[in-house]
Amino acid sequence: MQALADQGAATADQVSCVAKAATTVDPQLQPDQVEDAGTPVLPLVRALRAAVGDPETAAVVHRGLTSQDVLDTALMLLARAALSAANANLDQLGDRLAALADAHRMSVMAGRTLTQYAVPVTFGLRAAQWLVGVLEARAGLVAVNERLPVQCGGAGGTLALVGELVPDPVRAATVFAADLGLQWPGLPWHTQRSPMTRLGDALAETAQALGVIAEDVLVLGRPEIGELRERTGAGRGASSTMPQKQNPILSVLIRSAAIQAPAHVAQLHLCAGQSVDERAPGSWHAEWPALRRLLKLVVTATAQAAELVAGLEVDASTMRARAEESAAELLSERGGDVTDPSSYVGSAEVFVDVALQRWKAR
Amino acid sequence: MQALADQGAATADQVSCVAKAATTVDPQLQPDQVEDAGTPVLPLVRALRAAVGDPETAAVVHRGLTSQDVLDTALMLLARAALSAANANLDQLGDRLAALADAHRMSVMAGRTLTQYAVPVTFGLRAAQWLVGVLEARAGLVAVNERLPVQCGGAGGTLALVGELVPDPVRAATVFAADLGLQWPGLPWHTQRSPMTRLGDALAETAQALGVIAEDVLVLGRPEIGELRERTGAGRGASSTMPQKQNPILSVLIRSAAIQAPAHVAQLHLCAGQSVDERAPGSWHAEWPALRRLLKLVVTATAQAAELVAGLEVDASTMRARAEESAAELLSERGGDVTDPSSYVGSAEVFVDVALQRWKAR
Amino acid sequence: MQALADQGAATADQVSCVAKAATTVDPQLQPDQVEDAGTPVLPLVRALRAAVGDPETAAVVHRGLTSQDVLDTALMLLARAALSAANANLDQLGDRLAALADAHRMSVMAGRTLTQYAVPVTFGLRAAQWLVGVLEARAGLVAVNERLPVQCGGAGGTLALVGELVPDPVRAATVFAADLGLQWPGLPWHTQRSPMTRLGDALAETAQALGVIAEDVLVLGRPEIGELRERTGAGRGASSTMPQKQNPILSVLIRSAAIQAPAHVAQLHLCAGQSVDERAPGSWHAEWPALRRLLKLVVTATAQAAELVAGLEVDASTMRARAEESAAELLSERGGDVTDPSSYVGSAEVFVDVALQRWKAR
Amino acid sequence: MQALADQGAATADQVSCVAKAATTVDPQLQPDQVEDAGTPVLPLVRALRAAVGDPETAAVVHRGLTSQDVLDTALMLLARAALSAANANLDQLGDRLAALADAHRMSVMAGRTLTQYAVPVTFGLRAAQWLVGVLEARAGLVAVNERLPVQCGGAGGTLALVGELVPDPVRAATVFAADLGLQWPGLPWHTQRSPMTRLGDALAETAQALGVIAEDVLVLGRPEIGELRERTGAGRGASSTMPQKQNPILSVLIRSAAIQAPAHVAQLHLCAGQSVDERAPGSWHAEWPALRRLLKLVVTATAQAAELVAGLEVDASTMRARAEESAAELLSERGGDVTDPSSYVGSAEVFVDVALQRWKAR
C-alpha cells in the first residue's frame, strides 16, 4: 500500500489504518477457507478488509495485486529470514572448521577410498575439505540472498490494474520491493521460476555440504574406529532403552536432512518446468511445501552442524596409531622403504592453507 | 603426462609415444572388465600400457592419478562440449524469441491463470517471459562452464605420488588443467561435489526454461485454441496410424526432457551429500549416469527448442479474436466501460523491452 | 503393556494405572527434547513415567521396546486411520465415476492424443478409465491395509529384553499386534522396510489415479474447450482480484498432490535401501516426514476428488458438437464415407462394462 | 497379425511373409527418424512394409494398432525377460542367504544401532533379515510378472479400426496377448499406468533389498571392523594406482544401483499421474528411459548380489571376539551379572527359522 500511496493512490491515513488493522487479524486460517480459494490469500484479504471496517479504505487493501504476488513475496521474505539464520550458522561452523583444519594440519590418519585403506591423509585436510563445502554453500546462499525478488505483476503479470491506480506502475513495483528490502527483477516471474530454483539449488548445496560432515563423523565415530566422537551429554544422544548408549544424534539428524533435501529441490525444478499460461494449475502450488521444507531443513541442519563441530572430539592419537599400524597398506602405492605414514601426505598442508585463506577472504 | 613432462618426470618422446598409442586403443571396453574394477579406468590404462609396449614408458601412463581423477576430468570435458553445444542452441533460440517478442509486442491475447481466462496479455510478453527463462539458463551455463574444474588429487586427494615424481605437484595439477582448458580449483574435489551439483543445477534450470515453452505451445496449439502451431511437415509429427495427424512432436519431446531432468539433478545432490571418506562407495558411481543423461537431455532439448521456435506459427488474429470474444471476462477486474482488451495490457510492452535489452546486453 | 501383562510381567493394576496416566500426558513436546533424543519417544516415556508416579509401575513403562518399535508402530496406526479415510473417499469417488461412465456410455467426444484430435471416443469410456485407476488404487490400499504390521523387536531386533520379562516373547509380540489391530509379521522389520515402501507405493498409485482425473478436468474445462466444468460456487474457486473468475480449484489442488507424491515415495525407497546395521542413522529418520506427507496428501486428495466428481458438470452436447465439427479429422484413420463420429467408437461400450463390472465386484 | 489372421483379416501367407521380412529389418534406426515421429514405431513400420514389398500384405502391417500399443507391449516383453533373469538371480541369492542364515544361527556379533553398539545379535539373524528382503522382492516381481499386460487399444483406446477388420476386436486383443504370453487386462491402459508403476515399484523394492546387503557388507567389511569380506581376486576390486587395494566392488556397484532406483520409480509415478487425454504429451515418453534403466539396474544388481553373497567371507571369530570385548556395553540394557553376549540374543534363532521356512515355502 505504501507503494500505491507513494503515487497518490492511497492516503497516509489509509495506510496507517490498514497497518493497524493488520495487527489484529489472526493469521491462523480455517483450512476450509484456504481450500476454497486454493491459497490463504483471499481469506486473509477478507479478514483484513473486515478489520479495517471503513469501505473506502478496505477497497485499497490488496488492490492491483494477485494472490501469487502475495504468496511469492511472502515466501521470499521467509527465505530471507531463513538464509540469514543459515548464514550465521555457517559462519560459526566455518570458523570452527578452520580452527580444526589448522590445529590438525599435521594429524596423520588413514585415508580411505571405497571403505578400504588407501594412502595417508591428515585430519586437517579432511576438515579443510569440509570447509570448502561450507564455503561453496555460503557463497551460494549469499548470492541468492542478494537477488531475492519481490513478486509484483497483478492478475496476468502486466500490472494492468496498478496502472489504473498510479501513473507509473513499474515505479510502484520498485517501491514495493524497496519497502520490503527485496529486489525488483525488472518484470514479474509468475511463470519464470529461476528465483525459486536458484534458491532451492543453494539450499540443497548447503545440505549436501553438511551431509558430508555427518557421514564422516558417523563412520569415524563408529566404536571400532573411534577417531572422532560427537560430544554427547546434557541429554544429547540418550537411548530410550539402553543406558550405556551415546548416539551421535546431531550427525544422524544432519544425515537425515541431506537425504531429504534433494527431492525437494527436484520438486522445484519440476514445477518450474511446468509453468504454463500466466499461472500454472498445481505446479505452482506444489512449490510451497517443497520450499518451506527445504528452508526448515537447512536452518536446522546448519545449527546442528555448528553445534556438532563445536563439540567434536578428535582423537589424533588413535588416528596416528591406526595409520602406523596399517602403514604397509597405506604406503604400498609409494613403494620403497618408507614406513612413516606422515612422510607421505603430499600436498595436504598446501591444501589446508588454500582452504583457510579462502575462508579468511570470504 | 604433459604435466609430468613439464617438470621432467617424463620425456617428450614418452609423451608422444603414449599419445600415439592412445589413438590405437579401442575405447569400447568389455563390460566385465569395467565391472571388475568398478570403473572403466583400469582396463583402459591396461590397454594403453599394452599399446605403448616399452615398459619404462608404460610405467608413466596413469602415474600419480587415481581413477576418480580420470573419470571426473573426463566428465568435465564431456560437459564442456555439451555446454558449448547447448549454449549455441540457446543463442539461436534466444534470438528467435527476441524477434517474436518484438514482432508481437502489440498482439493482444487472452491471459489465462489456473486454465481460466484472466486479464488480457500480449503474445510479445509471453515470448519475452520465455526469453527471460533462456537468459537465466544461459547465464547459468556460462557461469559453470567458466569454472569447470580438472580433478587431480591422486589416490587420497593429497597428490602424494605426483609429489614423488616432480618437485611441485600443485604446479603439475595447474599445467594439467591448462592443457585441457579446465580450471585448477585449488584443491581436489573428490568428496566436495559442488562442481557436479552446480553443473547439474544449471542444466536443470535450462531444461525448465525449455519446458515452459513446450507447455505453452502444447496448450495454445490444441485444436480448440489454435493460437500457436508447431510447424510440422518434412516428416515431423506424423502418426503411425492416423493420416491427418500432425503431432507437435518437438514440444512433446521437450516436455519429456523437462519432466526427466529434475530427478537427475536430485541424484547429483544426493550423491554429493553422501561423499564419505576420501572416495565414496556407490554414491560417486551413481553420479555418472545422472550427469550423462542430463547433458544429453539438455543438448537435445535446446536444439529441439531452437527448431521449435524457428518454425512456430503464431496466429495473432485468432489470439485477438478470442480476446475480443471473451472481453467481458478479461476486463471484469477493471470494471468500467472499457471493451477493447488491447487497452488493458498494462506494462506488457515495458516488460518486453526489459527482456529484449537484457538479451542484447548478455 | 497388555502384552506383558498377558504373560504376568505386569499386573492389571499397573496396566490401568499407566493407561490413566497416559491420558494426562501432553503429547506436544519441546522440540529441544526431541532433538536431544532424535525421536519423540524418550521425552514421552519420561513424561509418562513421571505421570505414573509409583516407581515400580513406572519401570514397566516402555519395557523391552526400543524407540523404533514405538515410532514404526505409531506410523502404522496413523496409516491405518488414513487408509480407512482414503478408502471411504475412494468408494464415494468410484460410485460417482461408475454412474458417470454408465450415463455417458453413448456420449461421443473427440479423442485426443498428444493434444491433437485422434479418433472419436466416448466420455463414458473416459470415466471408465478413471474408474479403473480408482479400482487399482483401492485394491492397492486394501492390500497394504490388511498387512500393516506392528513393529516389535526391542533394542536390536531380537526381543531379548522382552524374553527376560516373559516366557514367550514372540507371543507377546503377537498379543501386542492383536491389541492394536495390526499384524505380527513374523519378525521385526527395523531394517527391512518393505512395509513402508509398499504403503508408499499404494499411496503414490492412488495419487496418480486422482492426478489423471484432475489433468483431464483441467484440459476439458478450459474455456475454449468447455466440455467439462468443475462446479464452483459456495466459495470454491474465487479469485482474490478478478470477480468473474471461477477457478477449478479442486482439480488444481489434486494435480498439485499428484506432482508431489512421487518424490515422497522415492524417499521411502531410498531410505529402505540404506537400512544399515540394526537401525540406520538418518535414513530411518528421513522416512517420517515422507510418509506423513504422503498420507496427508492422499487423504485430502481423495476427498477432493470425490467432491470434484460429485459436482462435475458434463456438457455432452458440446462434446458431440465438437466431435461432429471435427469429424473429418476424427474419422480419417477409418477412411470411407462414414461421417458420424459416434459410429466409430469401437469397443468403447464393452470397456465401460468391463470397468463397471469390476467396480461392482470389488 | 496372428490375432487378425485368427478372425480372417489376414491370410496365413501374409503372416509368414511379414514374419520373414521382419528378420531382415535392421532394428538400429536413425535418431532423426525417431525424433521425427517421437517414437521408433513409425520408421520401423515403414522399414517393415518396404521389406515386405507386396502392397496388399504391407497394408496389413501395423493395422489397427497405434504406436503406444507397440511400444508399451515391447516394454512389457522386455520387462518379462528382465524379470525372469532377476528372479533367477534372486533364487540363487536367496538360497545362499538361507545357507548363511542357517550356518550362522549361533554366530554372535555386536548389534549396532545409529552406528553404536546396541545389544548382541547373530550374523544368522542379519542374513535372515537380508533373506526376508529378498523374499519380499521376489514375491513382488513374481506378482507383477504374472500380470504383465499387452497393450492393445488402437489410436484412441477403442479398438475401432480393429473392429473394422474383424468381427470381435476384443477377442483379437486376447489372442494377441496369448501369442506373446502376456495378459489381456480387459481394457487398454494407455492412460491408466498402474501396470508401469507396479512394475517400477517391484523393481525398486528389489533394489532396496539388495542395497541393504551392500550397505552392511560395506560397513562390516571396513578394515577396522573386518567381520565380513567381499571375495576379491580374479580381477575384482583392483585399484588403478594402489597395488594392495582390494575394493568391495560388487557392494559398491549394488549400493550405487540402490541409490539410483528410487528416482526412476518416482518418474514412473509422476508420468502416470499426468496421463492426460487419450495419450499424454511427454509424460508417456518420459517413462521409457526410467523403466529401461530400472530393468537394467535390477538385472545387473541381482546378479552382482548373488555373486557377492556366494563369495562372502564371514569371519565369525572376529564377530565373537568383538562381541566379547564390548560385552559390557552390549549387555548394559539387561543389567545383572551376565557377561556372555551369546546368552542375550533373545529370539534371534526363532526369527532365523521363520525366514528359512518362508524361503522354503515360497
Side-chain angles (χ1 to χ4, degrees):
Chain A
M1 280 197 55
Q2 193 63 54
L4 294 181
D6 168 70
Q7 292 185 57
T11 66
D13 275 4
Q14 286 177 328
V15 172
S16 81
C17 164
V18 173
K20 202 184 297 172
T23 63
T24 70
V25 171
D26 179 5
Q28 208 62 39
L29 299 166
Q30 295 301 316
D32 276 10
Q33 297 176 311
V34 177
E35 190 181 65
D36 274 350
T39 80
V41 175
L42 185 53
L44 265 183
V45 167
R46 282 182 184 144
L48 185 51
R49 285 182 181 151
V52 163
D54 169 51
E56 208 169 320
T57 305
V60 208
V61 170
H62 190 66
R63 189 86 178 121
L65 295 186
T66 188
S67 297
Q68 191 173 2
D69 293 334
V70 176
L71 268 173
D72 281 351
T73 299
L75 285 170
M76 290 303 110
L77 292 172
L78 202 60
R80 191 178 53 189
L83 293 179
S84 157
N87 270 332
N89 293 336
L90 287 183
D91 276 337
Q92 287 196 350
L93 172 60
D95 282 344
R96 288 161 187 174
L97 289 175
L100 273 184
D102 194 30
H104 290 282
R105 53 173 67 229
M106 298 301 189
S107 301
V108 73
M109 66 185 282
R112 294 156 179 105
T113 57
L114 310 187
T115 70
Q116 302 300 305
Y117 290 141
V119 292
V121 296
T122 63
F123 180 66
L125 177 56
R126 186 71 74 88
Q129 288 285 9
W130 293 347
L131 180 59
V132 171
V134 170
L135 262 162
E136 293 288 336
R138 197 184 167 283
L141 293 182
V142 167
V144 294
N145 204 10
E146 282 167 0
R147 287 183 63 190
L148 287 179
V150 83
Q151 180 64 282
C152 184
T158 59
L159 285 177
L161 189 53
V162 175
E164 302 288 319
L165 303 172
V166 299
D168 186 349
V170 174
R171 180 190 150 100
T174 314
V175 171
F176 180 39
D179 271 5
L180 297 172
L182 297 172
Q183 304 302 308
W184 166 242
L187 61 183
W189 46 284
H190 292 152
T191 57
Q192 290 302 334
R193 309 302 282 170
S194 285
M196 272 289 169
T197 57
R198 294 231 168 151
L199 175 53
D201 294 339
L203 293 166
E205 189 179 16
T206 305
Q208 86 201 22
L210 309 177
V212 174
I213 303 174
E215 292 277 350
D216 278 335
V217 173
L218 286 168
V219 164
L220 297 176
R222 282 188 176 266
E224 301 88 344
I225 302 185
E227 303 185 3
L228 293 179
R229 189 189 319 270
E230 183 177 322
R231 187 169 57 200
T232 50
R236 286 281 194 233
S239 153
S240 72
T241 170
M242 292 171 282
Q244 97 287 3
K245 229 10 190 13
Q246 293 292 330
N247 289 318
I249 204 62
L250 293 170
S251 303
V252 165
L253 294 175
I254 295 166
R255 181 171 196 265
S256 169
I259 290 175
Q260 291 175 62
H264 297 300
V265 75
Q267 194 79 113
L268 295 178
H269 282 288
L270 176 68
C271 290
Q274 301 204 333
S275 293
V276 76
D277 294 338
E278 268 63 57
R279 176 144 44 265
S283 22
W284 171 48
H285 305 70
E287 289 177 354
W288 314 336
L291 180 62
R292 285 186 313 183
R293 184 85 189 140
L294 263 180
L295 291 170
K296 196 168 169 187
L297 281 172
V298 166
V299 170
T300 307
T302 50
Q304 290 167 335
E307 182 187 340
L308 167 64
V309 172
L312 191 65
E313 297 169 14
V314 182
D315 190 340
S317 61
T318 295
M319 290 175 175
R320 166 171 301 274
R322 178 159 292 113
E324 288 171 354
E325 272 165 37
S326 45
E329 286 156 286
L330 295 173
L331 297 170
S332 81
E333 175 193 61
R334 187 186 181 286
D337 55 356
V338 175
T339 56
D340 176 10
S342 65
S343 72
Y344 191 63
V345 296
S347 306
E349 203 171 357
V350 177
F351 295 150
V352 168
D353 285 330
V354 169
L356 293 181
Q357 281 155 25
R358 280 199 199 156
W359 181 248
K360 214 182 274 180
R362 78 182 183 278
Chain B
M1 280 196 55
Q2 194 63 54
L4 294 181
D6 168 70
Q7 293 185 57
T11 65
D13 276 2
Q14 287 177 329
V15 170
S16 80
C17 163
V18 172
K20 202 183 299 170
T23 64
T24 71
V25 171
D26 179 6
Q28 208 61 39
L29 299 165
Q30 296 302 317
D32 277 10
Q33 297 176 311
V34 177
E35 190 182 62
D36 274 350
T39 82
V41 176
L42 185 53
L44 264 184
V45 167
R46 283 182 184 144
L48 185 51
R49 285 183 181 152
V52 164
D54 169 51
E56 208 168 322
T57 306
V60 208
V61 170
H62 191 66
R63 189 85 179 119
L65 295 186
T66 187
S67 297
Q68 191 172 2
D69 293 334
V70 177
L71 268 173
D72 280 351
T73 300
L75 285 170
M76 290 303 111
L77 292 173
L78 201 61
R80 192 179 51 188
L83 292 179
S84 156
N87 270 332
N89 293 336
L90 288 183
D91 276 338
Q92 287 196 350
L93 172 60
D95 282 344
R96 289 160 186 176
L97 290 174
L100 274 184
D102 194 29
H104 290 281
R105 54 172 67 227
M106 298 300 188
S107 301
V108 72
M109 68 185 283
R112 293 156 179 105
T113 56
L114 311 187
T115 71
Q116 302 300 303
Y117 290 142
V119 292
V121 297
T122 64
F123 179 66
L125 176 57
R126 186 72 73 89
Q129 288 285 9
W130 293 346
L131 181 59
V132 171
V134 170
L135 263 162
E136 293 288 336
R138 195 181 169 285
L141 293 183
V142 167
V144 293
N145 203 10
E146 282 167 0
R147 287 183 63 188
L148 286 179
V150 82
Q151 180 64 282
C152 185
T158 59
L159 285 177
L161 189 53
V162 175
E164 303 287 319
L165 303 173
V166 298
D168 185 349
V170 173
R171 180 190 151 100
T174 313
V175 171
F176 180 40
D179 271 4
L180 297 171
L182 297 172
Q183 304 303 308
W184 165 242
L187 61 182
W189 45 285
H190 291 154
T191 57
Q192 288 303 334
R193 309 301 284 170
S194 284
M196 272 288 169
T197 57
R198 294 229 169 153
L199 175 52
D201 294 340
L203 293 165
E205 191 180 14
T206 306
Q208 86 201 23
L210 309 177
V212 174
I213 302 175
E215 292 277 350
D216 278 336
V217 174
L218 287 168
V219 163
L220 297 176
R222 282 187 175 267
E224 302 89 344
I225 302 185
E227 304 185 2
L228 293 179
R229 190 187 318 268
E230 183 177 321
R231 187 170 56 202
T232 50
R236 286 282 195 232
S239 153
S240 72
T241 171
M242 292 170 282
Q244 96 287 3
K245 227 13 189 13
Q246 293 292 330
N247 289 317
I249 204 62
L250 295 171
S251 303
V252 165
L253 295 175
I254 295 166
R255 182 171 195 263
S256 171
I259 291 174
Q260 292 176 61
H264 297 300
V265 73
Q267 194 80 109
L268 294 178
H269 282 287
L270 177 68
C271 291
Q274 300 205 335
S275 294
V276 76
D277 293 339
E278 268 64 57
R279 176 146 40 266
S283 22
W284 172 48
H285 305 71
E287 288 176 355
W288 314 337
L291 179 62
R292 284 186 312 182
R293 183 86 189 138
L294 263 180
L295 291 170
K296 195 169 170 186
L297 282 171
V298 166
V299 171
T300 306
T302 50
Q304 290 167 335
E307 181 186 341
L308 167 64
V309 171
L312 192 64
E313 297 168 15
V314 182
D315 190 340
S317 63
T318 296
M319 289 174 175
R320 168 173 300 274
R322 179 159 291 112
E324 287 171 355
E325 272 166 37
S326 44
E329 285 156 287
L330 295 173
L331 297 169
S332 82
E333 176 193 61
R334 186 185 181 287
D337 53 358
V338 176
T339 56
D340 177 10
S342 65
S343 72
Y344 192 63
V345 295
S347 306
E349 203 171 355
V350 177
F351 295 151
V352 169
D353 286 329
V354 168
L356 293 181
Q357 281 155 25
R358 279 199 201 156
W359 179 248
K360 211 181 279 180
R362 78 183 182 278
Chain C
M1 279 195 54
Q2 192 64 54
L4 295 181
D6 169 70
Q7 294 185 56
T11 66
D13 275 4
Q14 286 176 328
V15 171
S16 81
C17 164
V18 172
K20 201 183 300 170
T23 64
T24 71
V25 170
D26 179 4
Q28 208 62 39
L29 298 166
Q30 295 301 315
D32 277 9
Q33 297 176 311
V34 177
E35 190 181 64
D36 274 350
T39 81
V41 176
L42 185 53
L44 264 183
V45 167
R46 283 183 183 143
L48 184 51
R49 284 183 181 152
V52 163
D54 169 51
E56 209 169 321
T57 306
V60 207
V61 170
H62 190 65
R63 189 87 178 120
L65 295 186
T66 187
S67 297
Q68 191 172 2
D69 292 334
V70 177
L71 268 173
D72 281 351
T73 299
L75 285 170
M76 290 303 110
L77 292 172
L78 201 60
R80 192 179 51 187
L83 293 179
S84 155
N87 270 332
N89 293 335
L90 287 183
D91 276 337
Q92 287 197 350
L93 172 59
D95 282 343
R96 288 158 187 177
L97 289 175
L100 274 184
D102 194 30
H104 290 281
R105 53 173 65 227
M106 298 301 188
S107 300
V108 72
M109 67 185 281
R112 295 158 178 103
T113 57
L114 310 187
T115 71
Q116 302 300 304
Y117 290 142
V119 292
V121 298
T122 63
F123 180 65
L125 177 56
R126 187 71 74 88
Q129 288 285 8
W130 294 346
L131 181 60
V132 172
V134 170
L135 263 162
E136 293 287 338
R138 196 183 168 283
L141 294 182
V142 167
V144 295
N145 203 11
E146 281 167 1
R147 288 183 61 188
L148 286 178
V150 84
Q151 180 65 280
C152 184
T158 59
L159 285 177
L161 188 52
V162 175
E164 302 288 320
L165 302 172
V166 299
D168 185 349
V170 173
R171 179 189 152 100
T174 313
V175 171
F176 180 40
D179 270 4
L180 296 172
L182 297 172
Q183 305 302 308
W184 166 240
L187 62 183
W189 46 284
H190 291 152
T191 58
Q192 289 303 336
R193 309 301 282 170
S194 284
M196 272 287 170
T197 58
R198 294 233 167 149
L199 176 53
D201 294 341
L203 293 166
E205 190 179 17
T206 306
Q208 86 201 23
L210 309 177
V212 174
I213 302 175
E215 292 277 349
D216 278 336
V217 174
L218 286 168
V219 163
L220 298 176
R222 283 187 175 266
E224 302 88 344
I225 302 184
E227 302 185 3
L228 292 179
R229 190 189 318 269
E230 183 177 321
R231 186 170 58 201
T232 50
R236 286 282 194 230
S239 152
S240 72
T241 170
M242 291 171 283
Q244 97 286 4
K245 234 358 193 20
Q246 293 291 331
N247 290 317
I249 203 63
L250 294 171
S251 303
V252 165
L253 295 176
I254 294 166
R255 181 171 196 263
S256 170
I259 291 175
Q260 292 175 64
H264 297 300
V265 75
Q267 194 79 110
L268 294 179
H269 282 288
L270 176 67
C271 291
Q274 300 205 334
S275 293
V276 76
D277 294 336
E278 268 64 57
R279 175 142 46 263
S283 21
W284 172 49
H285 304 70
E287 289 177 354
W288 314 337
L291 179 62
R292 284 185 313 181
R293 183 86 189 138
L294 263 180
L295 291 170
K296 196 170 169 185
L297 281 172
V298 166
V299 170
T300 307
T302 49
Q304 290 168 334
E307 182 186 341
L308 166 64
V309 172
L312 191 65
E313 297 169 14
V314 182
D315 189 340
S317 62
T318 296
M319 289 175 175
R320 167 172 301 273
R322 178 159 292 113
E324 287 171 355
E325 273 166 36
S326 44
E329 286 155 286
L330 295 173
L331 297 170
S332 81
E333 176 193 58
R334 186 185 181 288
D337 54 357
V338 175
T339 56
D340 176 10
S342 64
S343 70
Y344 191 63
V345 296
S347 306
E349 204 172 355
V350 177
F351 296 151
V352 168
D353 286 329
V354 169
L356 293 182
Q357 280 156 23
R358 279 201 199 154
W359 181 250
K360 214 182 276 179
R362 77 182 184 276
Chain D
M1 278 194 59
Q2 193 63 55
L4 295 181
D6 169 69
Q7 293 185 58
T11 66
D13 276 3
Q14 286 177 328
V15 170
S16 81
C17 164
V18 172
K20 201 184 298 171
T23 64
T24 71
V25 171
D26 180 4
Q28 207 62 38
L29 299 166
Q30 296 301 316
D32 277 9
Q33 297 175 311
V34 177
E35 191 182 61
D36 273 350
T39 81
V41 175
L42 185 52
L44 264 183
V45 166
R46 284 182 182 143
L48 185 51
R49 285 183 181 152
V52 163
D54 170 50
E56 209 169 320
T57 305
V60 208
V61 170
H62 190 66
R63 191 86 177 120
L65 295 186
T66 188
S67 298
Q68 190 172 2
D69 293 332
V70 177
L71 268 172
D72 280 351
T73 300
L75 285 170
M76 290 303 110
L77 292 172
L78 201 62
R80 192 180 50 189
L83 292 179
S84 156
N87 271 333
N89 293 336
L90 288 183
D91 276 337
Q92 288 196 348
L93 172 60
D95 282 344
R96 288 159 187 177
L97 289 176
L100 273 184
D102 194 29
H104 290 281
R105 53 173 66 229
M106 298 301 188
S107 301
V108 72
M109 67 185 282
R112 295 155 178 105
T113 57
L114 310 186
T115 70
Q116 303 299 305
Y117 290 141
V119 292
V121 297
T122 65
F123 179 66
L125 176 56
R126 186 72 73 89
Q129 288 285 9
W130 294 345
L131 181 59
V132 171
V134 170
L135 263 162
E136 292 288 336
R138 196 183 167 285
L141 293 182
V142 167
V144 294
N145 204 10
E146 282 167 2
R147 288 183 62 189
L148 286 179
V150 83
Q151 179 65 281
C152 184
T158 59
L159 284 178
L161 189 53
V162 175
E164 303 288 320
L165 303 172
V166 299
D168 185 348
V170 174
R171 180 190 150 100
T174 314
V175 171
F176 180 40
D179 271 4
L180 297 173
L182 297 173
Q183 304 302 308
W184 166 240
L187 62 182
W189 46 285
H190 291 153
T191 57
Q192 289 303 336
R193 310 301 284 169
S194 285
M196 272 288 170
T197 57
R198 294 232 169 149
L199 175 52
D201 294 341
L203 292 166
E205 190 180 16
T206 305
Q208 85 200 23
L210 309 178
V212 174
I213 302 175
E215 292 277 350
D216 277 336
V217 174
L218 286 168
V219 163
L220 298 176
R222 283 188 173 266
E224 302 88 343
I225 302 185
E227 303 184 4
L228 293 180
R229 189 188 318 269
E230 184 176 319
R231 186 170 56 200
T232 51
R236 287 282 195 229
S239 153
S240 72
T241 170
M242 292 171 283
Q244 97 287 3
K245 226 16 188 11
Q246 293 292 332
N247 289 318
I249 204 62
L250 294 170
S251 303
V252 165
L253 295 175
I254 295 166
R255 182 172 196 263
S256 170
I259 291 175
Q260 291 175 62
H264 297 300
V265 75
Q267 194 79 109
L268 294 178
H269 282 288
L270 176 67
C271 291
Q274 301 205 334
S275 293
V276 76
D277 293 337
E278 268 63 57
R279 175 143 44 265
S283 21
W284 172 48
H285 304 70
E287 288 177 355
W288 314 337
L291 180 62
R292 284 186 313 182
R293 184 85 190 138
L294 263 180
L295 291 170
K296 195 169 170 185
L297 282 172
V298 165
V299 171
T300 306
T302 49
Q304 290 168 335
E307 181 186 340
L308 167 64
V309 171
L312 191 64
E313 297 168 16
V314 182
D315 190 340
S317 62
T318 296
M319 288 174 176
R320 168 172 301 274
R322 178 159 292 114
E324 286 171 355
E325 274 164 36
S326 44
E329 285 155 287
L330 295 173
L331 297 171
S332 81
E333 177 194 59
R334 186 185 183 287
D337 53 359
V338 175
T339 57
D340 176 11
S342 64
S343 71
Y344 191 63
V345 295
S347 307
E349 203 171 357
V350 176
F351 295 151
V352 168
D353 286 330
V354 169
L356 292 182
Q357 280 155 25
R358 281 201 198 156
W359 181 248
K360 213 181 278 180
R362 76 181 184 281

